[in-house]
């Protein structure tokens, strides 16, 4: 068991290190560089000034040396300054992380609370109208473009009905109700997408369990259909569903890029998008790394919990 | 086709799947419509990219069946030409990704051992990454910094190639896993040993004996992934990182729609509706194919 | 038998596999000695039956002789070419001399290939015939195994088990081999079909002058087809003789226990697994001394200490046995 955890943790660490280099290189490939931006901001700079600045910032070094220097600074706590926000990167990042967690966590809980009963209901009456209805809804959920769903919700609830704000977040000091008002549409968008896939997984896992012998035995002993489904089968049907949920757990930390951007929700997703589009290299780099690392760690935690929960997984150092 | 070939039997099962049959019809008519887009253009007498600033955002009329957009371009024509790009991108990228995934999965499953371990660790790692933020960066990088010749960087189709490439290098993981798993089970069957016994080499065994037995799960996986690819293309184009105007795609037609949402909400409805219908049709189709190819569904 | 036309010959042939076994402390590397010290010859046109319980290494030995595994130790020659010295790539030209018939008629034919595909494929690797010539050859072979040429266009799932096994036999004949390894070719078939396939194998043996290694756990089937019989236990050949000598004058206690329950009337009841008490020892951790001693009713101290070697007991019948006590046992059980 310890061996397994160690291996998994080590693997995640290797991926994080590799990804930090990949992301660093990709950011370096984005249009323009900091000196270009300085030049455009200050018309008095000459070409030789620019070259001197490049040397000063180490931008003339090969990519791996620049990466090495950056890594040293980052590990000693110097993550640099955000150009867009004029603040240290970390000061921008942490509030965004908090906002993302609130948004994603709410949507995740909501989706789970709706999808699992929905999927179970569909499985308990296969080929009924309820089953087809849930199936159709699930397919719609996995097929709808998230940004379009967001736009449609805005059109209906903000443009036509005027009930809810089209985007943004409640200002500091506003009441809880005000805060929730801003959350409704983005949460609904994210949850709709997840409900589709979660309810499908629940349904098929449930059907699988209902075919098994002990369920038939329970039926043969005269237990009612709903008792069989909700008492006997549900717990076992949950094991594969939990795997899927655990895999998604990691994504809570990287935010919902599309939804946050459209609703101007100041979370990680929007931060990454804005920093990439706004050439804020320091911020983009650190935000992407944070999102990647946290997602991987989330996945790792989910894996560990899952391994602890499911007695069928044999944990050994050998065959995977 | 031979009436007893496995594919024909699967076809007979598929015909029972009404939703999937309906999806095929929807997709076929959509393909026909976008293929004959020039006919509509001739009929309406305007080009898809013709700007007419005197009739911006007008409602439906005989000369503009679905109205015009913020630059006075005909919405119907742009939807048709956008559909060409979106459908073509989806199909091409999905096939590309499936090809990469199939080769990687075959190699990993067939040879096993260390190669398998390395390839599968790679696959797992890519699956665990937050892909969309990384794709945004990939879509934003400056191609001339990669050392590509200026002619390519500035060519009209570069945004299309870029999208296909981005999807292909990140979208192969699901197919790779699927193909590896199936390869592992098929390579234990005796006909593989029989083929080796009559002198077949590794490549021949992989592509002539194992691959044909994997076609049905691969077809299902590709069909199901086309929807995802079209969604991805539309998201990137929506953010201005995919297909670049004036070339229309369903995604980039929505880019400006958000700004105009108070003035012309319908502009935001049509392209998204088409994306939605296309993607859900591909998903229904994939679901139907899955049932048709499922050996357990022989009832 | 004419010693000149030996097709296959092995000397002290061994095969070990590396594997992992589950222990309390996790996975541990281990070696399985699947085949140990096998020495045998098969001449042109001769059929050697190979019997033993499942897991005794007979399939591994068969696959080695069919060139699927290279030996770990010892030598093996096919038509005078020493295989043990070859690199994997150099084995390919030899494959046309050695072919295999598999046990499972379902999984040994690729479900996505037509019969024509299955039968012409081997020719693609070894001959420069044109497609029509190949098709004609395939059709001729189908008729030789009792199927009509119509079968060429069909897929394997359109045939019964017996018909599939006929296709499998036809495939083994495509390259005109001198030696065919048949690994339990009838055990997956209905009893009524078994004898048809066995008779077919007999007929084509004459027609194509084939040598067979015929692997089976069914002694009645082996009796039907084999000229000589080898008995295998835990990777070793413990007794080998001409068929009649082995069935009438068995010397090894293991062969005795196999023979004791061979009713001649109902061949299907002669499955070996039911005869002996207990399971054979694991080849990962074989017992010291004679591999059979833990289950042998006659075992004495020397059986636990040293491995008996094959000794000729009857030169005329080419009968050899690996047992320390073969003389004593034979006197006791003379009244069997």
């Amino acid at each position: 068991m310890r061996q397994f955890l160690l291996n998994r943790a080590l693997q995640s660490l290797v991926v994080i290190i590799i990804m930090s280099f990949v992301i660093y290189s990709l950011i370096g490939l984005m249009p323009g560089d900091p000196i270009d931006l300085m030049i455009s901001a200050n018309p008095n700079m000459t070409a030789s000034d620019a070259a001197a600045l490049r040397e000063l910032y180490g931008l003339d070094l090969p990519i791996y040396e620049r990466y090495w220097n950056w890594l040293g600074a980052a590990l000693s706590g110097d993550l640099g300054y955000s150009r867009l926000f004029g603040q240290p990167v970390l000061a921008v990042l942490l509030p965004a992380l908090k906002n993302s967690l609130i948004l994603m966590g709410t949507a995740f809980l909501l989706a789970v609370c709706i999808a699992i009963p929905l999927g179970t209901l569909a499985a308990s009456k296969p080929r009924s109208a309820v089953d087809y209805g849930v199936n159709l809804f699930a397919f719609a959920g996995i097929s709808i473009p998230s940004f379009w769903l967001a736009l449609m919700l805005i059109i209906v609830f903000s443009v036509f009905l005027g009930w809810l704000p089209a985007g943004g977040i409640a200002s500091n000091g506003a009441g809880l109700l005000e805060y929730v008002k801003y959350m409704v549409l983005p949460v609904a968008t994210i949850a709709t997408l997840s409900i589709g896939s979660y309810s499908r997984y629940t349904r098929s896992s449930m059907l699988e369990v209902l075919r098994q012998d002990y369920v038939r035995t329970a039926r043969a002993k005269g237990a009612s259909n709903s008792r069989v489904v909700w008492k006997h089968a549900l717990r076992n049907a949950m094991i594969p569903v939990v795997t899927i949920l655990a895999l998604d757990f990691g994504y809570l930390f990287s935010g919902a890029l599309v939804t946050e951007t459209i609703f101007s929700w100041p979370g990680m997703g929007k931060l990454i998008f804005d920093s990439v589009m706004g050439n804020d290299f320091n911020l983009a780099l650190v935000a992407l790394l944070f999102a990647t690392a946290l997602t991987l760690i989330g996945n790792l935690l989910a894996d560990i919990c899952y391994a602890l929960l499911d007695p069928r997984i044999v944990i050994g150092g050998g065959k995977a | 086709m031979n009436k007893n070939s496995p594919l024909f039997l699967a076809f007979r099962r598929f015909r029972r799947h009404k939703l999937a049959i309906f999806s095929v019809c929807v997709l076929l008519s959509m393909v026909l419509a976008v293929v004959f887009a020039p006919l509509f253009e001739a009929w309406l007498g305007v080009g898809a990219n013709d700007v007419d600033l005197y009739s911006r955002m007008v409602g439906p009329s005989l000369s503009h069946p679905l109205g015009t957009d913020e630059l006075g371009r005909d919405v119907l024509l742009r939807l048709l030409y956008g559909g060409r790009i979106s459908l073509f991108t989806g199909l091409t990228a999905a096939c590309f990704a499936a090809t990469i995934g199939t080769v990687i999965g075959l190699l990993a499953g067939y040879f096993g051992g260390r190669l398998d371990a390395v390839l599968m660790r790679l696959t797992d790692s890519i699956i665990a990454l937050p892909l969309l933020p990384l794709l945004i960066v990939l879509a934003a990088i400056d191609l001339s910094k990669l050392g590509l010749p200026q002619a390519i960087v500035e060519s009209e189709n570069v945004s299309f190639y870029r999208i296909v490439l981005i999807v292909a290098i990140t979208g192969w993981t699901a197919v790779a896993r699927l193909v590896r798993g199936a390869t592992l089970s098929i390579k234990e069957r005796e006909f593989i040993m029989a083929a080796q016994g009559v002198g077949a080499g590794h490549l021949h065994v992989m592509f002539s004996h194992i691959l044909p037995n994997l076609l049905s799960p691969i077809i299902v996986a590709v069909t199901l992934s086309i929807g995802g690819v079209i969604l991805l293309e539309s998201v990137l184009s929506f953010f201005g990182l995919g297909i670049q105007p004036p070339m229309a795609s369903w995604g980039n037609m929505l880019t400006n729609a958000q700004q105009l949402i108070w003035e012309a909400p319908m502009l935001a409805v049509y392209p998204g509706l088409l994306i939605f219908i296309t993607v859900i049709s591909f998903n229904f189709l994939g679901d139907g194919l899955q049932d048709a190819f499922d050996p357990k569904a022989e009832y | 038998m004419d010693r000149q036309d030996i097709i296959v010959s092995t000397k002290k042939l061994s095969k070990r596999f590396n594997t992992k076994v589950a222990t309390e402390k996790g996975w541990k590397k281990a070696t399985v000695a699947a085949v140990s010290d096998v020495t045998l010859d098969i001449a042109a046109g001769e059929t050697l039956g190979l019997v033993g319980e499942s897991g005794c290494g007979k399939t591994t030995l068969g696959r080695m002789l069919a060139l699927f595994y290279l030996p770990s130790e010892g030598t093996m020659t096919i038509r005078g070419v020493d295989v043990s010295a070859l690199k994997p790539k150099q084995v390919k030209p030899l494959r046309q001399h050695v072919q295999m018939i598999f046990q499972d008629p379902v999984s040994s034919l690729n479900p996505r290939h037509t019969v024509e595909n299955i039968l012409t494929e081997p020719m693609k690797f070894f001959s420069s015939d044109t497609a029509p010539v190949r098709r004609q050859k395939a059709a001729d072979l189908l008729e030789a195994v009792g199927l009509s040429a119509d079968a060429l266009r069909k897929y394997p799932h359109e045939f019964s088990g017996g018909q599939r096994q006929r296709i499998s036999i036809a495939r083994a004949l495509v390259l005109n081999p001198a030696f065919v390894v048949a690994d339990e070719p009838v055990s997956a078939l209905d009893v009524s079909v078994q004898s048809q396939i066995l008779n077919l194998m007999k007929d084509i043996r004459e027609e194509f002058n084939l040598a067979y290694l015929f692997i089976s756990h069914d002694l009645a089937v082996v009796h039907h087809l084999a000229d000589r019989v080898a008995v295998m236990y835990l990777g070793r050949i413990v007794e080998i003789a001409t068929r009649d000598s082995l069935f009438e004058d068995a010397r090894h206690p293991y062969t005795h226990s196999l023979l004791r329950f061979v009713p001649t009337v109902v061949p299907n009841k002669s499955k070996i697994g039911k005869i002996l008490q207990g399971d054979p020892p694991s080849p990962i951790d074989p017992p010291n001394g004679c591999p059979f001693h833990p289950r042998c009713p006659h075992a004495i101290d020397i059986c636990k200490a040293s491995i008996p070697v094959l000794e000729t007991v009857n030169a005329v019948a080419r009968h050899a046995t690996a047992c320390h006590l073969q003389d004593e046992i034979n006197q006791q059980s003379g009244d069997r």
Side-chain angles (χ1 to χ4, degrees):
Chain A
M1 183 72 200
R2 269 184 55 207
Q3 184 72 38
F4 167 78
L5 294 184
L6 217 63
N7 275 344
R8 278 294 279 108
L10 210 65
Q11 192 192 325
S12 300
L13 191 67
V14 170
V15 175
I16 290 173
I17 291 172
I18 293 175
M19 282 314 293
S20 73
F21 181 70
V22 170
I23 293 170
Y24 188 89
S25 316
L26 286 179
I27 297 286
L29 288 171
M30 294 214 308
D33 67 35
I35 308 301
D36 289 339
L37 291 167
M38 283 188 199
I39 295 173
S40 60
N42 182 356
N44 295 331
M45 265 171 61
T46 62
S48 64
D49 286 344
L53 273 173
R54 282 212 164 84
E55 205 181 318
L56 180 66
Y57 285 99
L59 289 170
D60 51 345
L61 297 174
I63 182 88
Y64 53 88
E65 269 185 56
R66 268 153 52 197
Y67 169 72
W68 192 244
N69 294 339
W70 170 83
L71 190 68
L75 288 180
S76 67
D78 176 17
L79 293 173
Y81 246 69
S82 158
R83 205 177 60 81
L84 282 181
F85 295 83
Q87 284 180 27
V89 162
L90 218 53
V92 182
L93 212 60
L94 293 178
L97 197 58
K98 187 194 86 182
N99 287 334
S100 266
L101 270 178
I102 293 174
L103 184 71
M104 299 292 285
T106 314
F108 183 72
L109 283 180
L110 190 71
V112 169
C113 291
I114 294 176
I116 289 178
L118 219 54
T120 313
L121 196 67
S124 69
K125 297 189 181 94
R127 287 164 194 274
S128 68
V130 178
D131 188 19
Y132 283 120
V134 170
N135 197 32
L136 216 59
F137 180 74
F139 265 98
I142 58 174
S143 307
I144 202 163
S146 54
F147 58 100
W148 185 66
L149 175 62
L151 290 180
M152 291 303 107
L153 289 174
I154 292 175
I155 288 179
V156 174
F157 292 99
S158 307
V159 177
F160 285 128
L161 299 173
W163 291 352
L164 294 164
I169 188 169
S171 52
N172 276 338
L176 182 68
L177 191 71
E178 187 66 14
Y179 195 84
V180 170
K181 257 190 171 180
Y182 281 93
M183 274 179 72
V184 174
L185 292 185
V187 164
T189 307
I190 301 167
T192 307
L193 304 177
S194 324
I195 289 172
S197 59
Y198 294 169
S199 61
R200 259 166 73 77
Y201 278 117
T202 309
R203 177 181 177 274
S204 60
S205 165
M206 194 74 199
L207 281 178
E208 192 70 33
V209 170
L210 287 176
R211 273 199 286 269
Q212 276 165 21
D213 286 342
Y214 71 94
V215 175
R216 292 188 188 176
T217 314
R219 283 217 166 112
K221 284 197 297 191
S224 72
N225 187 41
S226 65
R227 197 185 149 78
V228 168
V229 169
W230 297 96
K231 293 260 164 172
H232 293 262
L234 187 59
R235 193 184 309 173
N236 285 293
M238 278 305 96
I239 293 175
V241 177
V242 167
T243 325
I244 301 297
L245 296 183
L247 275 177
D248 276 10
F249 178 71
Y251 296 121
L252 295 190
F253 302 101
S254 54
L257 193 145
V258 177
T259 313
E260 287 179 3
T261 305
I262 292 178
F263 288 105
S264 306
W265 182 268
M268 285 295 279
K270 181 168 157 47
L271 193 70
I272 291 172
F273 182 74
D274 289 346
S275 58
V276 169
M277 300 311 281
N279 288 332
D280 190 343
F281 301 111
N282 281 339
L283 185 58
L285 179 57
V286 178
L288 273 167
L289 262 181
F290 252 66
T292 308
L294 288 174
T295 308
L296 287 168
I297 292 170
N299 273 324
L300 177 65
L301 289 176
D303 258 17
I304 293 170
C305 293
Y306 180 61
L308 290 174
L309 281 178
D310 189 354
R312 285 177 303 184
I313 292 188
V314 181
I315 292 160
K319 295 179 179 173
Chain B
M1 194 190 320
N2 183 324
K3 279 210 157 140
N4 284 305
S5 79
L7 271 179
F8 187 81
L9 295 176
F11 176 68
R12 280 213 314 240
R13 281 196 297 276
F14 180 74
R15 275 193 318 212
R16 289 200 293 257
H17 221 276
K18 290 196 195 74
L19 217 44
I21 295 290
F22 182 68
S23 300
V24 172
C25 299
V26 169
L27 290 173
L28 278 182
S29 35
M30 206 170 287
V31 168
L32 280 181
V34 304
V35 164
F36 290 110
L39 287 184
F40 291 89
E41 210 167 23
W43 175 50
L44 291 173
V46 287
N49 292 338
D50 289 355
V51 174
D52 179 3
L53 293 176
Y54 292 105
S55 51
R56 296 169 65 233
M57 294 184 281
V58 298
S61 65
L62 262 184
S63 52
H64 297 294
L66 293 177
T68 60
D69 68 2
E70 74 279 8
L71 295 177
R73 295 172 294 194
D74 185 81
V75 170
L76 176 66
L77 288 178
R78 287 190 67 73
L79 284 175
L80 290 174
Y81 276 93
R84 283 187 160 195
I85 298 293
S86 292
L87 287 173
F88 189 63
T89 314
L91 285 169
T92 322
C95 290
F96 242 108
T99 310
I100 298 176
T102 302
V103 171
I104 288 182
L106 266 177
L107 289 174
Y110 183 76
F111 288 109
R114 200 155 288 171
L115 183 68
D116 182 31
V118 170
L119 289 177
M120 284 304 115
R121 287 293 88 75
L122 179 70
T123 312
D124 289 347
S125 306
I126 291 184
I127 288 176
L129 292 175
L131 272 188
L132 195 56
L134 293 171
L135 290 186
I136 295 280
V137 178
L138 275 182
I141 60 175
D142 181 355
L143 291 178
S144 58
K145 283 198 180 179
L146 276 177
L148 289 177
Q150 209 61 23
I152 295 182
V153 174
E154 281 166 10
S155 88
E156 207 178 34
N157 294 328
V158 71
S159 58
F160 167 75
Y161 297 135
R162 186 204 285 255
I163 283 282
V164 170
L165 208 65
I166 286 177
V167 171
I169 57 176
T170 51
W172 52 267
T173 49
V175 173
R177 275 189 162 181
L178 181 106
V179 168
R180 172 186 175 266
T183 304
L184 281 180
S185 86
I186 285 176
K187 81 167 179 183
E188 297 303 320
R189 312 259 289 272
E190 282 178 342
F191 66 80
I192 297 301
M193 187 172 260
Q196 291 162 343
V198 297
H202 292 312
L203 280 181
H204 183 85
V205 171
M206 275 193 273
F207 288 97
S208 174
H209 285 271
I210 298 181
L211 190 57
N213 284 285
L214 300 180
L215 274 188
S216 29
I218 291 176
I219 289 172
V220 172
V222 172
T223 313
L224 288 173
S225 73
I226 293 175
V229 174
I230 291 179
L231 285 180
L232 198 58
E233 181 273 320
S234 65
V235 167
L236 291 178
S237 298
F238 171 70
F239 284 133
L241 293 166
I243 305 296
Q244 296 299 320
M247 199 192 271
S249 91
W250 290 339
N252 74 21
M253 288 178 70
L254 285 162
T255 310
N256 293 324
Q258 190 182 3
Q259 268 74 55
L260 301 167
I261 207 158
W262 301 91
E263 303 154 59
M266 285 317 278
L267 282 183
V269 174
Y270 301 124
L273 198 61
L274 284 179
I275 300 173
F276 180 44
I277 292 173
T278 310
V279 174
I280 205 170
S281 298
F282 273 114
N283 284 336
F284 281 137
L285 174 61
D287 196 50
L289 288 175
Q290 195 155 34
D291 284 353
F293 286 137
D294 184 0
K296 281 179 285 183
E298 296 276 354
Y299 51 84
Chain C
M1 193 78 44
D2 188 353
R3 310 296 288 168
Q4 306 290 294
D5 47 345
I6 293 292
I7 302 285
V8 185
S9 162
T10 73
K11 277 206 179 63
K12 292 203 156 279
L13 194 66
S14 297
K15 182 72 196 175
R16 287 185 300 271
F17 292 107
N18 293 320
T19 182
K20 284 175 179 171
V21 285
T23 65
E24 284 168 18
K25 290 179 184 171
W27 294 90
K28 218 180 96 183
K29 281 184 183 168
T31 314
V32 181
V35 171
S36 306
D37 286 341
V38 168
T39 300
L40 52 79
D41 293 332
I42 301 173
E46 183 189 37
T47 297
L48 176 68
L50 183 62
V51 296
E53 289 164 288
S54 54
C56 73
K58 55 190 196 301
T59 291
T60 306
L61 179 58
R63 289 181 177 180
M64 287 176 83
L65 297 188
L67 299 170
F68 288 111
Y69 304 142
L70 289 176
S72 305
E73 266 168 32
T75 59
M76 171 177 143
T77 58
I78 305 268
R79 295 190 132 189
V81 181
D82 186 355
V83 175
S84 36
L86 297 180
K87 290 179 182 136
K89 272 193 180 169
Q90 298 169 303
V91 172
K92 193 184 157 188
L94 286 174
R95 289 202 182 276
Q96 55 185 317
H97 305 307
V98 185
Q99 284 296 304
M100 184 145 180
I101 300 169
F102 294 88
Q103 170 176 11
D104 182 0
V106 176
S107 94
S108 63
L109 302 176
N110 191 334
R112 298 278 174 186
H113 286 199
T114 58
V115 172
E116 176 176 344
N117 234 319
I118 291 168
L119 293 184
T120 53
E121 183 179 54
M123 299 184 232
K124 289 177 194 161
F125 303 119
F126 287 102
S127 81
S128 51
D129 290 341
T130 57
V133 177
R134 284 186 201 149
R135 183 175 316 159
Q136 189 52 48
K137 276 189 182 172
D140 293 346
L141 275 170
L142 278 178
E143 273 165 31
V145 298
L147 292 171
S148 80
D150 298 346
L152 281 180
R153 285 180 297 109
K154 295 185 179 172
Y155 286 87
H157 71 93
E158 298 173 58
F159 296 94
S160 68
Q163 288 171 323
R164 284 160 170 249
Q165 209 58 323
R166 287 173 192 268
I167 296 169
S168 205
I169 290 171
R171 172 176 58 194
L173 297 175
V174 171
L175 294 175
N176 219 345
F179 173 50
V180 170
V181 175
D183 188 358
E184 307 258 15
V186 296
S187 64
L189 303 176
D190 288 346
V191 181
S192 56
V193 184
Q194 287 191 356
S195 58
Q196 294 172 17
I197 297 296
L198 289 175
N199 288 334
L200 172 66
M201 289 185 65
K202 246 183 178 172
D203 294 344
I204 60 170
R205 177 174 63 187
E206 316 306 328
E207 196 178 333
F208 295 83
N209 191 31
L210 292 176
Y212 282 137
L213 177 75
F214 188 89
I215 302 172
S216 181
H217 58 259
D218 189 333
L219 285 167
V221 167
V222 170
H223 188 270
H224 189 69
L225 208 68
D227 302 312
R228 285 194 300 146
V229 180
V231 180
M232 211 168 170
Y233 189 80
L234 219 62
R236 292 169 189 278
I237 288 186
V238 295
E239 185 155 27
I240 181 167
T242 56
R243 179 188 67 189
D244 294 343
S245 185
L246 188 107
F247 276 81
E248 279 150 31
D249 188 22
R251 305 294 180 103
H252 198 279
Y254 179 61
T255 315
H256 274 291
S257 63
L258 295 185
L259 288 172
R260 201 173 305 153
F261 286 92
V262 182
T264 45
V265 195
V266 192
N268 215 29
K269 284 281 164 65
S270 55
K271 298 278 154 67
I272 285 168
K274 298 174 185 167
I275 299 163
L276 286 166
Q277 294 299 313
D279 293 324
S282 158
I284 291 172
D285 189 18
N288 290 327
C290 174
F292 187 57
H293 85 255
R295 295 162 91 191
C296 180
H298 313 286
I300 57 171
D301 284 350
I302 186 173
C303 301
K304 295 171 189 162
S306 78
I307 302 174
V309 293
L310 275 174
E311 282 173 31
T312 303
V313 292
N314 179 345
V316 180
R318 298 173 65 198
H319 194 146
T321 298
C323 177
H324 294 300
L325 302 167
Q326 43 132 330
D327 296 328
E328 291 88 332
I329 295 167
N330 235 36
Q331 278 158 17
Q332 285 171 19
S333 57
D335 58 342
R336 168 172 64 91

